[in-house]
Amino acid sequence: MAPKAAAAKEKLIDDEEEVLQAVILADSFDKRFRPLTTHTPRCLLPICNAPLLDWTFESLALAGVQEIFVVCRSHAEKVKQAISESKWSRPGSGIKIVPIMTAKETFSAGDAMRDVYTRGLVTTDFVLVMGDLVSNIRIDEVVRVHKERRKTNKDAIMTMVVKESGENHRTRTTGDQSVFVLDAATSECLHYEHVSGYPATKTTRIPREVLEAHPEIEIRNDLIDCSIDVCSVEVPSLFQDNFDYEDLRRDFLHGVLTSDLLMKNIYCYVAQEGYAARVKDTKSYDSIRLVPLLATPLVSEHISSKDILSRWTFPLVPDDNHPGGHVYRHSRGNKYVAAEVSLARTAKIGNNTLIGAGTRILENAQVTGSVIGRNCVIGAGSVIDGAYIFDGTVVGAGCTVRRSIIGAGVMIKDKTNVERGCIVGNGVAVGPSGAVMPFERLSKRREISAPRSDEEEDSDIDDIEANQPGDSISVLGGQTNAVIWPQGPSEDDDEDAVVEYKVQRLRRIADTGSDLDYSDDDDSAPMTDDESDDSQDELSGDGSFDGSEDDSDDEAPPIIPGTSNMMEEAEFQSEVKQSLQRAFKEGHSVDNAAVELKTLRMASNVPLERVREAVIAAVVEAIPIVPVAATQRKEISAVVGRWGPLVNNIGGVDAVQTLEALQMHCVTSDRFPLFGQILAEFYQTDIVEFEDMRKWHGSAAAKGEGLSEGPTTENVKRSWVVAGQLMQQIEKLENESESEDDGDGESGSGEESDSEEEDSNAKTQPPSAVSGTNTVEESSAESDSEEADTGSEEEDSEEEMKTVSPANPAVVTKPEAVTKPEASTDHDKVKGKAVTKPESSDSEETSEAGEDDSTSEEDSEEDDSEAEEETKINPPAPPAKPESSANKDKPESTVSPTPAKAESSGGTKINPPAPPAKPESSAKPEITAESSGSEEETTSEEEDSDDESSEIQNKPPTASVAANPESSAVQGKVETNPETPKAKPEAQAESSENEDTSEEEDDSEEESSEEETTNNKPASAVGGSADGSKIGSTPPVQTKPESGVKAGPKVESSEEETSEEDSDSDSEESE
Amino acid sequence: MEQPQNLRVVETLAWKLRRRQLVGSRATALETLVVLRQVISKSRFSNIEQLVSIIRGVGRRLVEAQPKEHSVGNTVRKVLHHIREEYHTATGGSTTTTSPGFSISKFVMLGQPRKQTALPKTESKNTIKENDPDDPDAFARSLKPVLMEAIQDVFDELETVYDNVGKNAQNHIHSDEIIMTLGMSKTVESFLISAAHHRNYTVMVLETAPTYGGREMSQALSAAGISTFLVPDSSIYGLMSRVNKVILGTHAILANGGMFAIAGSLLAATAAHVHSTPVVVCAGQFKLTPSWNLYHEYGALDFGDPSQVLGFEEGALVDKVDVVNPFYDYVPPNLVDAYITNDGDHPPTSIYRLIKETYDDEDNEL
């Protein structure tokens, strides 16, 4: 028969499809709704007269979920019973609901997840929700997206559903908001931070890595976290592996995002339509009109209820698909009145009201914005405003109930006032003529004989009953059976409780929190906010945090760093030392060592700062002390060159801090005399930038201010002086080279061109700084030579010949020798110096050469464009170097251009790091310049104009940021970073190509032809790729302003100097 | 045995209806029919009363699940009507012959109300035995094939409804006319397309916020080669003077001749009324609903999710404003000029008669 066949077919299809499973965590793991939840689990509190859990089931059923596991802890029996009695266990509901009772020891969502794992409940991707969810979001769509993503990316373990909302939305509970950092293209969640209401979170910090790896990000504070997660099977096992995860967001999400080891991705699904909210607290209860009845129940109940009554949850609305199966008639003004309600003729029913079946509203009663359960009686002349009254409650005549949650079976006798924000537990009797103060919580006095099972709660209640203030009871009216729950935290509560209490207040219904003094506690409890993430602070490491920064998660009072912490740190330091010693001895790669350190840090939960200090200490100590100055210098550069990159590889870069740490370590170490040299070496290897040095040097700490007198302070001051000398020299050289740089006159602090120059300078200076000898001579000598360079190309070429040698792998040290003569006094201290000089002159020369030729016509234009390029993409100049040097090298070492280059970069530690990253982008300027020189002017002009036009196109969006080099230095680095990594591979390939080709031709032809070829090649390549990269690089710039706008709280992104990349690449190559 | 109204298929459909996973009058009518067929084929009954009560039970369950999808109840009533008819035929009782092809022109001739009482028949043909104690299933066995046929008839009607509505389209639309329509209605679409085979005319489609069904509609129409304009809702009144005819779809036709149609219909009908532009409604007969007073009920307009009107993200406003988003408008009968059904054309005033023909009185309350 036809229907049968059809049915059979359906079955088949069903079998093929995977059953969509859901896990409901039906325990809130908190007590916000007490005392309503002392006898009833929160998920069974009624909202709009149907248990919260039913709304959740309905929300899931709407999404096509077929199997639901309900994990319940408190009052598990009741939950189980409720489920078995509900319509869901009838056949045909299409949903299989399995209650899971977890052990009493389950205290957090994390524990519940571990339980889910051990029981092996889930077999496939599943939906994880809380037991207090009201939603009409198409979760099946989210699941589909999730599965789709899983097909291509196995590491996408979770998709969180978030909903857009305005900044001030009633469903958003103050103090329970979050900042999400999303990848704009993929919605991958890159960073998550909780925004606590008290103390108010005003800033958020975004780890630098995020900005680096993603060209375009959104920072959003306007998302409601719906607590709907589509998880893959790995998620419970992750909880199992990380036994300390408790909260789904703060621990799990944050843990996964910050973990360097897991390599898992979490995505967000920004629901455009649909509604979802949790009845987390009383404030949100109000919104959905689902009433969670505990500690601060009113608020969430209010919000939830409101949203339901105003039909945001459609089709989950009282008159349509009421989960309790009740029938309500919907009438104008969103009034829902069940059929069997008896309304007095003179009773007034206001908008947004729901009245359950069997309820009687007597004469002259007014009910507005409230939810009244079944079989209630509202006495004559009573006023019910914004209250949530559960089944079977009787309100006498002449009462007033405002914005409160009244449990089931409550007797509010005549002429009693219940003020806003109260929670009255089940079965309480109040009055007559009583008054319940705002935010009072009442529960029924227990019969003494009543046997209690829940010891823990028992003791609570005992306490409360024991501590009843006699006078306040009498206020409640003569016939009351109520006990009053303590308002605030009692005296013996610790500070945490105070804060928690204040946070809770923000969540309570009808509590605006306006009387909370946000500032007062800033010093007394700065760190108690358990959400402020220490590791984040450190990651961003903008030096703003003070020394008292310790682990806020542990309960240690913030003011005293705690002896236990000291011990831990000491332990950690020694472990780091050991691990590094091992690494030094066995010659690990920097990457491996970094991973080891990260693991170590994770394990001992130590701020990044400490790690940095430890690393620096270890590196410094690893430098052998040699009596001979020259060899000493060699040793330093060897050690720093090999291990320096590690400093910036441990998970975050903060050069200023690095310098501080270096100083602090050196002054206490027997290597203090080496401080100047080490510092110079740090600078030269791009571990720190000049700008950082300046910043550091200007800081009070660097000068040794505030330290008690003693040899250490003495040393600090001395080191400060040494550093000052060094910096002066750097600056001087910089200025000189800049002035040479024909009109390229921006002082661009952090930019590449400068840094190059600085580099070149740096080479010269360190010696002077270190030994205090007359570097002046040297530098002057150098500058002389440079000047000479500019003067004549021939000279340049000669110098280039010198440069060639550095490129030659074998000769690493020798180049210095070559140059030394020039750098008269302070011989071979830093090998790199000599090497670089030629190069730097080189680059200058090339750019000059180009400019000389072409600039005559378009000086200003080029300058402009360069300036811009510099800000946008770091390194115009550096690329020029490798090529040109390579070209020139050829005559001598035609053999392998690429290796040569690699060495020049790696072996000599100079700027080389930069070249690999930049070649592409930098290629552009170079090309324009060179081609104009060697080829016809027309082409060069065309190219120029191309570049310019492309720039012009890019400009508008970038303008604000990029136009002003200074501002970009402040703001901008962020932009460039994300791009460059991408550019790198290409760039390298290109540059090597160029070299190849140029090399071949080299053999036969003269320089000029070489130049041509090199120019041409890059030109073509650049036309496409460089421009492309540029265009690509702009979007990030654009987004930032946007995202900045979106994000509510201020966003502080720690800025990076571009050098960091350099150092990275450095480290790679140095192997 | 399980109560028939608790059968799995019934439950499933009821849930779907509750959750609005199944919407649209024709879709729900078809689903209902499928369910009824399964129920009948599975259930055991030994006389006509039992059968009727089973079906009514199922019908009640479904209607309660979603009282706003009127075609569910209508379909159940129609099936009941057919069952009785088949039963009477099978048992040899005379029933009034339903005359095919109602139309306004034949209205007067068909004036007499149908006789409601079937003649009490002597069990002349003993082909069907009710209440046979020896073999309680005998009745069901012999009647079931007939019932299946009856249901198949309803099926066929539903399936051909678009064709039949469009059958006379060229008689209603003339060349070079300008037609206004709104919302997305399959019936109207097929009506217009079938008219386009014979006539050359222009259609203005209103966008129909907030559902914007008009956009879909205009695409479908222009794809069929009809010259189509998509106009904003605000221009209803301004354009009305140029419009020759307003053609609307509907959700349910009430017994008084009024109807529920997508929000915006009332606006269009009123504007048309002011300009004395004819308003024609295309609908299948399964939309005929034997209720008179639904329009008194505020909730009958089916208020939906306000987010279509005011985004939930507009937090500040959402707090202070109550937003309503009715899905339907009630269009009173005086604003409608004619109903074009798959069974001929009718003025609103004769709808009550049509309903009386289609359903049995006792089924008005399931």
Side-chain angles (χ1 to χ4, degrees):
Chain A
M1 220 179 201
K4 253 186 203 164
K9 218 184 194 176
E10 269 178 26
K11 226 178 214 169
L12 267 181
I13 293 168
D14 275 352
D15 284 347
E16 283 167 18
E17 277 181 20
E18 278 183 352
V19 176
L20 182 53
Q21 294 177 314
V23 172
I24 298 180
L25 302 183
D27 200 296
S28 50
F29 307 109
D30 60 38
K31 298 174 177 177
R32 288 180 197 159
F33 278 90
R34 298 190 106 190
L36 286 173
T37 46
T38 42
H39 301 291
T40 322
R42 179 159 95 188
C43 59
L44 290 185
L45 293 178
I47 191 160
C48 289
N49 291 349
L52 209 37
L53 199 54
D54 277 353
W55 291 92
T56 308
F57 287 155
E58 193 59 60
S59 304
L60 291 173
L62 213 51
V65 171
Q66 287 148 295
E67 191 170 11
I68 300 178
F69 300 102
V70 184
V71 181
C72 31
R73 180 184 73 104
S74 50
H75 311 289
E77 281 303 329
K78 285 189 182 168
V79 176
K80 201 172 172 185
Q81 190 189 352
I83 292 172
S84 66
E85 283 170 3
S86 76
K87 58 182 179 177
W88 302 101
S89 42
R90 291 211 300 260
S93 66
I95 296 187
K96 190 176 145 205
I97 295 180
V98 187
I100 307 290
M101 330 258 268
T102 69
K104 276 270 176 274
E105 296 78 51
T106 306
F107 288 119
S108 68
D111 292 336
M113 289 303 283
R114 284 183 271 282
D115 203 39
V116 168
Y117 174 77
T118 39
R119 289 172 195 243
L121 296 178
V122 291
T123 54
T124 166
D125 290 2
F126 66 100
V127 183
L128 176 66
V129 299
M130 294 295 153
D132 48 12
L133 171 79
V134 181
S135 148
N136 63 355
I137 284 178
R138 297 306 306 262
I139 303 176
D140 45 346
E141 172 65 16
V142 186
V143 173
R144 196 189 58 74
V145 171
H146 176 76
K147 288 192 170 160
E148 201 64 34
R149 192 180 291 130
R150 291 272 289 168
K151 276 182 198 156
T152 55
N153 179 5
K154 279 284 167 217
D155 288 333
I157 52 166
M158 189 163 110
T159 304
M160 302 182 291
V161 180
V162 292
K163 173 96 187 82
E164 282 182 0
S165 72
E167 196 187 339
N168 298 309
H169 199 281
R170 64 182 177 204
T171 308
R172 288 155 57 90
T173 323
T174 320
D176 211 7
Q177 305 175 358
S178 314
V179 173
F180 289 89
V181 179
L182 308 180
D183 183 297
T186 61
S187 289
E188 183 184 347
C189 183
L190 308 172
H191 179 69
Y192 168 88
E193 194 162 334
H194 187 87
V195 178
S196 67
Y198 189 91
T201 306
K202 295 218 161 67
T203 57
T204 186
R205 301 196 163 115
I206 296 163
R208 188 184 41 78
E209 293 87 346
V210 166
L211 302 171
E212 218 172 53
H214 299 270
E216 201 171 327
I217 59 168
E218 289 180 353
I219 304 164
R220 307 194 59 168
N221 182 37
D222 65 336
L223 298 176
I224 296 180
D225 184 354
C226 307
S227 293
I228 304 172
D229 301 326
V230 180
C231 305
S232 55
V233 259
E234 290 102 309
V235 172
S237 68
L238 278 179
F239 271 97
Q240 185 70 17
D241 296 344
N242 297 275
F243 48 84
D244 54 340
Y245 285 174
E246 290 192 348
D247 189 89
L248 273 179
R249 293 287 181 262
R250 271 172 243 158
D251 297 328
F252 173 70
L253 175 60
H254 185 258
V256 171
L257 289 183
T258 53
S259 168
D260 302 299
L261 307 173
L262 285 176
M263 303 300 289
K264 301 287 184 198
N265 300 331
I266 291 178
Y267 288 81
C268 276
Y269 178 92
V270 181
Q272 302 293 339
E273 41 190 52
Y275 173 91
R278 282 182 60 199
V279 186
K280 280 181 290 217
D281 40 45
T282 40
K283 196 160 186 172
S284 59
Y285 177 87
D286 187 46
S287 158
I288 315 190
R289 303 247 159 164
L290 308 179
V291 184
L293 294 183
L294 287 192
T296 48
L298 287 176
V299 180
S300 68
E301 168 156 359
H302 185 64
I303 296 170
S304 313
S305 309
K306 242 182 218 159
D307 289 343
I308 290 176
L309 292 187
S310 16
R311 307 182 76 81
W312 290 101
T313 56
F314 182 87
L316 267 176
V317 286
D319 64 323
D320 202 339
N321 188 15
H322 190 273
H326 309 171
V327 180
Y328 294 95
R329 242 186 44 221
H330 180 211
S331 51
R332 192 173 293 274
N334 289 333
K335 298 169 206 164
Y336 305 86
V337 180
E340 305 84 9
V341 170
S342 98
L343 290 180
R345 194 178 51 84
T346 51
K348 280 187 198 160
I349 309 296
N351 286 355
N352 292 321
T353 300
L354 180 130
I355 300 176
T359 290
R360 290 186 299 142
I361 313 280
L362 304 182
E363 288 78 15
N364 292 318
Q366 293 182 27
V367 181
T368 46
S370 301
V371 172
I372 298 185
R374 284 168 297 176
N375 303 316
C376 294
V377 178
I378 306 298
S382 288
V383 177
I384 311 290
D385 179 18
Y388 302 90
I389 299 179
F390 295 176
D391 295 353
T393 288
V394 176
V395 177
C399 295
T400 310
V401 181
R402 291 186 198 284
R403 305 202 66 179
S404 293
I405 299 180
I406 312 293
V410 172
M411 296 282 294
I412 296 181
K413 293 175 185 160
D414 295 356
K415 296 188 179 133
T416 300
N417 287 342
V418 178
E419 286 303 325
R420 70 198 163 101
C422 292
I423 300 175
V424 180
N426 294 351
V428 169
V430 184
S433 302
V436 183
M437 292 298 133
F439 304 112
E440 205 86 86
R441 290 180 294 161
L442 303 181
S443 70
K444 191 180 170 186
R445 191 177 292 278
R446 283 172 301 131
E447 313 285 322
I448 294 160
S449 60
R452 296 301 307 264
S453 57
D454 196 326
E455 289 162 22
E456 168 211 349
E457 290 179 15
D458 227 14
S459 61
D460 273 9
I461 295 169
D462 284 339
D463 283 352
I464 291 159
E465 290 190 358
N467 294 325
Q468 281 308 303
D471 51 338
S472 60
I473 283 286
S474 60
V475 179
L476 297 178
Q479 300 166 28
T480 182
N481 64 351
V483 291
I484 298 180
W485 286 53
Q487 260 295 359
S490 53
E491 301 81 41
D492 54 342
D493 274 341
D494 50 14
E495 224 168 326
D496 277 355
V498 181
V499 175
E500 175 58 18
Y501 168 68
K502 289 187 175 169
V503 170
Q504 275 200 3
R505 274 200 56 190
L506 293 172
R507 293 182 172 137
R508 287 200 303 217
I509 192 168
D511 190 344
T512 57
S514 54
D515 54 332
L516 278 187
D517 183 359
Y518 282 90
S519 59
D520 71 345
D521 264 17
D522 278 355
D523 25 24
S524 68
M527 279 299 161
T528 1
D529 170 17
D530 49 349
E531 284 109 30
S532 85
D533 242 280
D534 34 334
S535 58
Q536 279 161 11
D537 292 353
E538 289 127 28
L539 279 182
S540 61
D542 54 1
S544 69
F545 45 95
D546 46 10
S548 76
E549 163 108 321
D550 55 13
D551 218 334
S552 49
D553 282 348
D554 59 28
E555 313 250 37
I559 308 132
I560 316 153
T563 45
S564 65
N565 276 1
M566 302 278 256
M567 302 237 319
E568 272 170 32
E569 270 177 25
E571 211 169 287
F572 171 74
Q573 299 279 15
S574 77
E575 282 209 41
V576 170
K577 213 164 150 193
Q578 283 169 16
S579 120
L580 283 177
Q581 273 169 0
R582 207 167 41 244
F584 291 155
K585 215 187 290 165
E586 296 167 18
H588 293 179
S589 77
V590 170
D591 282 342
N592 286 350
V595 169
E596 204 171 328
L597 285 179
K598 282 175 190 169
T599 327
L600 215 50
R601 171 163 80 90
M602 237 46 106
S604 35
N605 199 14
V606 169
L608 190 58
E609 197 187 356
R610 298 284 106 75
V611 186
R612 182 173 289 118
E613 280 166 11
V615 170
I616 289 171
V619 170
V620 170
E621 295 306 315
I623 299 171
I625 300 183
V626 192
V628 187
T631 32
Q632 177 68 69
R633 218 167 296 130
K634 246 179 254 171
E635 292 289 357
I636 292 174
S637 65
V639 172
V640 175
R642 171 76 169 85
W643 292 107
L646 186 58
V647 175
N648 287 341
N649 237 357
I650 51 174
V653 177
D654 185 337
V656 176
Q657 221 179 74
T658 305
L659 289 170
E660 264 169 40
L662 175 66
Q663 187 189 22
M664 277 348 227
H665 179 77
C666 282
V667 296
T668 53
S669 153
D670 52 354
R671 282 162 178 77
F672 175 63
L674 304 182
F675 173 69
Q677 294 181 52
I678 297 174
L679 181 59
E681 194 60 36
F682 265 52
Y683 172 65
Q684 207 168 321
T685 44
D686 283 342
I687 296 167
V688 297
E689 294 273 330
F690 185 65
E691 201 45 29
D692 301 322
M693 291 173 69
R694 198 181 285 163
K695 234 188 259 171
W696 160 74
H697 200 256
S699 72
K703 294 174 201 158
E705 286 169 15
L707 290 178
S708 56
E709 286 299 315
T712 323
T713 326
E714 203 60 7
N715 280 351
V716 170
K717 284 181 180 153
R718 268 166 57 195
S719 66
W720 186 74
V721 175
V722 170
Q725 286 170 350
L726 174 65
M727 285 171 61
Q728 268 174 11
Q729 277 165 12
I730 295 179
E731 210 159 5
K732 193 170 171 194
L733 276 185
E734 197 181 311
N735 289 340
E736 278 166 9
S737 60
E738 247 169 41
S739 61
E740 285 167 31
D741 228 16
D742 94 46
D744 220 283
E746 9 111 14
S747 62
S749 44
E751 281 129 33
E752 272 304 313
S753 62
D754 289 326
S755 71
E756 268 175 42
E757 288 158 7
E758 285 166 25
D759 285 356
S760 63
N761 300 336
K763 295 145 208 165
T764 23
Q765 287 133 4
S768 69
V770 175
S771 57
T773 47
N774 50 349
T775 1
V776 194
E777 259 191 56
E778 194 195 340
S779 62
S780 64
E782 274 192 340
S783 60
D784 283 352
S785 69
E786 278 168 9
E787 279 169 317
D789 290 353
T790 41
S792 67
E793 275 201 49
E794 285 152 42
E795 278 183 28
D796 288 354
S797 63
E798 280 178 15
E799 281 207 15
E800 279 152 22
M801 296 305 286
K802 287 171 208 156
T803 7
V804 173
S805 54
N808 194 334
V811 215
V812 186
T813 25
K814 272 158 219 168
E816 298 158 26
V818 183
T819 13
K820 254 173 273 160
E822 284 177 7
S824 50
T825 24
D826 244 308
H827 7 298
D828 42 359
K829 277 173 201 162
V830 191
K831 313 136 200 181
K833 261 173 270 160
V835 182
T836 8
K837 248 178 285 161
E839 273 188 11
S840 70
S841 63
D842 226 357
S843 66
E844 281 164 10
E845 165 231 22
T846 43
S847 62
E848 279 162 20
E851 278 161 18
D852 284 350
D853 295 3
S854 60
T855 13
S856 52
E857 286 151 32
E858 347 156 353
D859 263 2
S860 59
E861 277 177 344
E862 274 217 291
D863 289 352
D864 286 355
S865 66
E866 266 190 17
E868 276 169 24
E869 270 150 23
E870 281 165 6
T871 44
K872 275 180 222 160
I873 316 168
N874 318 356
K881 253 176 281 163
E883 276 171 25
S884 58
S885 65
N887 291 347
K888 282 142 202 175
D889 293 346
K890 265 115 237 181
E892 291 177 19
S893 65
T894 356
V895 208
S896 59
T898 2
K901 179 193 148 210
E903 241 135 19
S904 74
S905 57
T908 45
K909 320 149 216 170
I910 323 173
N911 327 350
K918 290 117 201 187
E920 234 202 83
S921 48
S922 58
K924 214 186 304 166
E926 174 198 344
I927 291 146
T928 52
E930 285 179 3
S931 63
S932 63
S934 54
E935 292 181 6
E936 296 102 325
E937 300 256 357
T938 38
T939 52
S940 73
E941 272 180 10
E942 276 174 6
E943 282 167 358
D944 285 355
S945 63
D946 278 354
D947 288 348
E948 277 165 21
S949 66
S950 71
E951 266 155 3
I952 289 158
Q953 287 166 352
N954 296 336
K955 250 179 265 170
T958 3
S960 62
V961 186
N964 179 348
E966 295 250 336
S967 73
S968 71
V970 180
Q971 236 181 347
K973 251 127 260 163
V974 189
E975 296 132 33
T976 27
N977 292 352
E979 247 312 295
T980 26
K982 274 189 199 162
K984 236 182 271 172
E986 269 183 65
Q988 275 171 335
E990 253 184 45
S991 63
S992 66
E993 226 187 291
N994 294 343
E995 283 169 12
D996 282 347
T997 51
S998 64
E999 195 201 15
E1000 286 165 21
E1001 289 176 35
D1002 252 8
D1003 295 346
S1004 56
E1005 290 184 28
E1006 294 298 318
E1007 267 194 52
S1008 63
S1009 69
E1010 285 172 13
E1011 272 185 11
E1012 261 191 44
T1013 51
T1014 35
N1015 300 342
N1016 291 344
K1017 290 268 160 55
S1020 60
V1022 170
S1025 59
D1027 277 1
S1029 77
K1030 223 196 225 162
I1031 290 159
S1033 69
T1034 32
V1037 183
Q1038 283 172 296
T1039 42
K1040 233 130 285 148
E1042 273 178 24
S1043 57
V1045 174
K1046 264 181 206 166
K1050 267 169 258 159
V1051 180
E1052 282 181 16
S1053 60
S1054 65
E1055 271 122 25
E1056 295 311 312
E1057 299 295 8
T1058 26
S1059 68
E1060 160 230 340
E1061 270 170 35
D1062 298 352
S1063 65
D1064 283 354
S1065 53
D1066 223 349
S1067 67
E1068 285 160 26
E1069 284 170 20
S1070 69
E1071 290 310 313
Chain B
M1 178 191 151
E2 248 184 318
Q3 284 293 302
Q5 59 262 43
N6 290 339
L7 280 178
R8 199 183 179 81
V9 276
V10 182
E11 277 306 311
T12 312
L13 178 59
W15 281 118
K16 276 194 195 167
L17 289 170
R18 268 187 91 102
R19 292 179 189 139
R20 302 289 174 113
Q21 284 166 327
L22 181 69
V23 288
S25 29
R26 183 160 173 272
T28 47
L30 281 172
E31 281 293 316
T32 311
L33 216 44
V34 170
V35 167
L36 286 180
R37 186 158 67 183
Q38 289 189 39
V39 169
I40 292 173
S41 69
K42 278 183 194 162
S43 48
R44 307 172 61 179
F45 47 88
S46 52
N47 58 39
I48 185 75
E49 283 77 24
Q50 282 176 12
L51 175 62
V52 167
S53 78
I54 287 172
I55 294 176
R56 286 176 76 148
V58 172
R60 205 179 308 122
R61 174 87 184 81
L62 294 178
V63 170
E64 274 168 12
Q66 192 44 273
K68 286 163 199 161
E69 284 291 358
H70 304 288
S71 57
V72 174
N74 297 343
T75 310
V76 174
R77 290 182 192 105
K78 186 135 191 159
V79 168
L80 283 172
H81 177 72
H82 276 265
I83 287 174
R84 290 203 187 89
E85 232 167 41
E86 294 294 342
Y87 169 73
H88 292 315
T89 321
T91 53
S94 69
T95 48
T96 46
T97 50
T98 44
S99 49
F102 285 97
S103 75
I104 296 175
S105 55
K106 290 190 207 152
F107 174 60
V108 181
M109 290 156 58
L110 294 168
Q112 322 89 330
R114 182 169 64 90
K115 284 156 220 147
Q116 281 294 328
T117 47
L119 296 180
K121 49 234 142 193
T122 54
E123 295 278 316
S124 53
K125 301 173 199 170
N126 258 345
T127 49
I128 293 182
K129 252 198 194 154
E130 282 186 69
N131 299 326
D132 188 339
D134 302 331
D135 184 4
D137 291 337
F139 174 74
R141 229 183 6 253
S142 51
L143 196 62
K144 267 184 186 171
V146 197
L147 295 177
M148 288 304 147
E149 250 173 62
I151 288 178
Q152 194 56 45
D153 284 348
V154 186
F155 245 124
D156 293 344
E157 189 198 318
L158 277 177
E159 259 154 24
T160 58
V161 69
Y162 296 143
D163 293 342
N164 287 334
V165 171
K167 210 166 43 188
N168 290 324
Q170 79 257 36
N171 299 334
H172 292 275
I173 296 176
H174 307 287
S175 288
D176 298 330
E177 276 191 336
I178 297 178
I179 307 292
M180 178 180 277
T181 185
L182 86 175
M184 178 64 206
S185 159
K186 259 296 194 186
T187 321
V188 174
E189 182 195 330
S190 66
F191 182 82
L192 292 175
I193 289 175
S194 106
H197 294 320
H198 308 276
R199 310 271 191 236
N200 196 8
Y201 62 97
T202 303
V203 182
M204 289 181 179
V205 184
L206 295 166
E207 274 190 310
T208 329
T211 51
Y212 295 107
R215 296 178 181 170
E216 203 185 326
M217 181 75 147
S218 59
Q219 260 169 358
L221 292 181
S222 67
I226 303 171
S227 97
T228 310
F229 295 89
L230 182 64
V231 296
D233 297 338
S234 50
S235 52
I236 289 185
Y237 196 84
L239 289 172
M240 195 53 82
S241 56
R242 300 166 156 263
V243 171
N244 298 92
K245 206 164 275 163
V246 176
I247 298 184
L248 301 177
T250 181
H251 174 64
I253 303 172
L254 303 185
N256 66 346
M259 63 157 186
F260 284 112
I262 184 131
S265 300
L266 180 58
L267 191 62
T270 314
H273 189 68
V274 171
H275 286 91
S276 298
T277 309
V279 175
V280 177
V281 177
C282 296
Q285 282 211 329
F286 60 90
K287 290 181 179 173
L288 293 174
T289 306
S291 333
W292 294 82
N293 56 353
L294 274 183
Y295 51 91
H296 292 308
E297 268 183 41
Y298 177 75
L301 295 187
D302 199 2
F303 289 86
D305 179 357
S307 65
Q308 289 175 320
V309 181
L310 180 73
F312 192 63
E313 55 278 2
E314 308 274 353
L317 268 183
V318 167
D319 253 354
K320 295 164 194 144
V321 183
D322 281 335
V323 188
V324 291
N325 176 21
F327 195 76
Y328 299 120
D329 268 347
Y330 170 69
V331 183
N334 58 318
L335 298 181
V336 179
D337 291 281
Y339 286 102
I340 302 172
T341 71
N342 50 337
D343 199 13
D345 316 332
H346 307 273
T349 42
S350 68
I351 291 296
Y352 80 97
R353 271 199 57 257
L354 207 53
I355 286 172
K356 250 182 159 23
E357 300 286 350
T358 318
Y359 309 120
D360 291 327
D361 284 350
E362 63 260 45
D363 297 331
N364 282 356
E365 285 294 320
L366 283 173

